[in-house]
Amino acid sequence: MYGETEPAAAASERTAFRQAEKKYKLYKPPSTKGRGRSRRRKKPIDGGVGDLSEVVDFHALLACGVELPAGICRCNCPGFDLPVFRFLDRPGFYFIPGALSTEQQCFWIRESLKTFPQPPNRTNLTALYGPIFDLLTAAQNQKVLLEVQNSDGQESNERSNSGEKTRSINFKFVEHSKIEKGETRRSTTATTLVRKLRWSTLGLQFDWSKRNYDVSLPHNSILDALATLAKKMAIPAMPSGVEFSPEAAIVNYYGPSDMLGGHVDDMEADWTKPIVSISLGCKCIFLLGGKTRDEVPRAMFLRSGDIVLMAGEARERFHGVPRIFTEIDQQEISGLVSQLSGDDDRFILDYIHSSRININIRQVY
């Protein structure tokens, strides 16, 4: 993911962080089928498949009200009325369980699919298809993205409003009925494109090839509502009297088998400012490791509506998502299902049944 050489990649396979990734990636939930039959159970792979006993569940800790396990404490943050947990041996990391109401979660899921992929924001699809407008609406109406030729057939040196170079080959959404039999031009359904979304960038645009922010690219400011939310949620990780300044965000979209490998977020100028990370959709396992991959990471559940803050020393720690839970009895999205039951949300509900969205907001400078 970050250009490791072959020897380095081979060495990383043997690290404690990588072993934890494999353990939770391979986890298989107990089968609910065939329990009445005599069936020999397969031996667990890696000695740990099926065992989630070491995964910290902050929701359970909040609900039971008993003495917290060693190494975990609750924070008292003046001016902040939500529960906050942290690890004593991982300063700068804060966990806010259930920070968003179900209504808020649904709002940001809709925004993540409808508004956030809109140009001038860039997505992983931009390099292949150029700027794509109204992707969610096209998917809801079962449209197809079709390759079209510019009238002059020549590539232009001009740039569109989204900052992309105008190309001789472009794409536009058309009704499925408009695709003629034997059509040779490239086409992709809008539904497929939504499922292929893996990231979008808001505010200052992040250049994944150079791993830095390109201030020359056209961009809009972070939505006021998202900026306000991030400022409020960042309070536990900010010095008293200092306000968080949201300048960019990266939205990650996870499909059923996706994972985010261990990495460090180190592209912002001031690491004392937190990353505000919002979880939406299916439950996942989040790993928080050390400053090298050799340190055994702490595993924890992240559910829809949870928020994590990483500031200071925590910004130097490897972290990742080895597994999302898309099994019906593991997703923990019943509240979302109830709220997204209307006809207008039918496509979004189908999407979130097998997906997770993460919005992480950053102060760049």
Side-chain angles (χ1 to χ4, degrees), residues 117-123 133 161-164 201 205 217-220:
Q118 286 280 84
N121 298 338
R122 297 162 66 87
T123 76
F133 291 87
N161 290 335
S162 64
E164 296 297 318
T201 49
Q205 296 293 288
L217 289 173
H219 62 275
N220 295 327

Side-chain angles (χ1 to χ4, degrees), residues 33-40:
K33 296 181 179 180
R35 285 184 174 176
R37 302 175 185 175
S38 175
R39 182 179 296 179
R40 188 170 65 180

Side-chain angles (χ1 to χ4, degrees), residues 2-294:
Y2 294 114
E4 290 179 318
T5 62
E6 287 188 16
S12 70
E13 288 293 312
R14 299 188 293 270
T15 64
F17 197 98
R18 183 57 180 150
Q19 291 304 308
E21 287 180 317
K22 288 182 177 180
K23 171 181 176 179
Y24 295 117
K25 179 69 174 176
L26 292 171
Y27 166 77
K28 302 294 183 186
S31 175
T32 58
K33 296 181 179 180
R35 285 184 174 176
R37 302 175 185 175
S38 175
R39 182 179 296 179
R40 188 170 65 180
R41 185 169 295 175
K42 293 182 179 179
K43 184 179 180 180
I45 304 171
D46 196 32
V49 175
D51 180 13
L52 299 181
S53 60
E54 296 180 351
V55 183
V56 178
D57 188 338
F58 286 107
H59 283 254
L61 295 180
L62 184 64
C64 69
V66 299
E67 184 176 348
L68 296 175
I72 297 176
C73 70
R74 283 189 64 166
C75 302
N76 293 317
C77 306
F80 195 78
D81 57 1
L82 294 173
V84 182
F85 292 92
R86 65 184 181 91
F87 295 107
L88 295 178
D89 63 347
R90 285 163 168 76
F93 178 84
Y94 303 85
F95 193 109
I96 312 172
L100 301 184
S101 68
T102 303
E103 291 78 8
Q104 288 175 308
Q105 294 168 46
C106 291
F107 175 81
W108 291 115
I109 289 170
R110 294 185 188 104
E111 289 296 291
S112 296
L113 294 174
K114 181 179 180 179
T115 305
F116 294 165
Q118 286 280 84
N121 298 338
R122 297 162 66 87
T123 76
N124 59 297
L125 304 175
T126 306
L128 293 174
Y129 302 102
I132 300 176
F133 291 87
D134 302 321
L135 175 57
L136 177 62
T137 301
Q140 290 171 323
N141 290 290
Q142 299 182 329
K143 291 191 175 182
V144 177
L145 192 69
L146 180 66
E147 182 181 56
V148 294
Q149 186 86 20
N150 281 350
S151 57
D152 59 7
Q154 299 294 318
E155 185 174 285
S156 170
N157 287 322
E158 297 179 358
R159 290 186 178 271
S160 67
N161 290 335
S162 64
E164 296 297 318
K165 194 172 184 180
T166 305
R167 306 181 302 175
S168 59
I169 300 296
N170 285 309
F171 293 83
K172 70 174 183 179
F173 285 118
V174 299
E175 300 289 343
H176 193 276
S177 60
K178 301 293 184 181
I179 305 293
E180 298 180 3
K181 188 176 181 179
E183 176 64 73
T184 59
R185 290 176 294 174
R186 287 182 292 168
S187 63
T188 308
T189 65
T191 300
T192 298
L193 292 175
V194 171
R195 289 292 180 183
K196 287 184 175 180
L197 263 180
R198 288 300 174 265
W199 55 262
S200 62
T201 49
L202 319 180
L204 294 175
Q205 296 293 288
F206 189 77
D207 187 330
W208 293 90
S209 62
K210 299 176 183 177
R211 294 202 70 230
N212 62 21
Y213 290 92
D214 187 343
V215 296
S216 69
L217 289 173
H219 62 275
N220 295 327
S221 298
I222 297 287
L223 287 177
D224 287 344
L226 185 60
T228 299
L229 177 63
K231 290 177 182 179
K232 175 184 176 182
M233 294 299 166
I235 289 174
M238 296 292 292
S240 178
V242 179
E243 186 175 70
F244 181 64
S245 299
E247 295 171 311
I250 297 174
V251 185
N252 294 313
Y253 305 85
Y254 295 78
S257 60
D258 288 342
M259 63 175 289
L260 180 64
H263 66 285
V264 175
D265 291 307
D266 56 1
M267 290 298 102
E268 290 74 37
D270 185 356
W271 292 2
T272 65
K273 303 301 188 297
I275 290 176
V276 179
S277 180
I278 303 171
S279 288
L280 302 166
C282 291
K283 183 178 70 176
C284 77
I285 291 178
F286 178 79
L287 297 178
L288 178 65
K291 296 181 181 180
T292 73
R293 289 186 172 92
D294 295 319

